[in-house]
Amino acid sequence: MPILLEMIEKLWDRVSPYYYILFRQSVKPGPVVGVSYHQEMIKAVKNQDPEEVAKWVEADLTDSTRFVLSLFEESDA
């Protein structure tokens, strides 16, 4: 089933980096990224507070980026 194998390999190539990041997030002690930022965003949306939403989106993106970069730094060591 070479066609099926090719499809699986392509999917794995696309998913594998994200799977690694999510796995490391669950293993690494005290990750800073997580559901709490999203909960704060939802709360701010419900309160119709666009500045608060923007604050939490920025925090989520910034801290998530730092976390992902730290994983790459660890893998280089």
Side-chain angles (χ1 to χ4, degrees):
M1 303 177 90
I3 294 173
L4 180 58
L5 178 60
E6 181 183 345
M7 290 172 67
I8 292 170
E9 287 173 345
K10 284 182 181 183
L11 284 172
W12 184 250
D13 288 343
R14 286 184 169 195
V15 172
S16 179
Y18 301 106
Y19 177 78
Y20 174 75
I21 290 168
L22 290 173
F23 174 75
R24 290 292 296 156
Q25 180 175 336
S26 67
V27 173
K28 188 172 181 174
V32 294
V33 295
V35 178
S36 63
Y37 289 167
H38 300 163
Q39 291 170 334
E40 293 297 330
M41 286 178 223
I42 291 168
K43 194 184 320 178
V45 168
K46 286 180 180 177
N47 292 332
Q48 298 180 9
D49 187 345
E51 284 113 19
E52 191 73 4
V53 173
K55 176 183 107 175
W56 286 107
V57 168
E58 182 178 354
D60 186 40
L61 292 173
T62 301
D63 290 345
S64 297
T65 300
R66 284 187 190 126
F67 178 79
V68 170
L69 291 174
S70 76
L71 294 178
F72 288 115
E73 290 167 1
E74 286 177 12
S75 68
D76 290 342

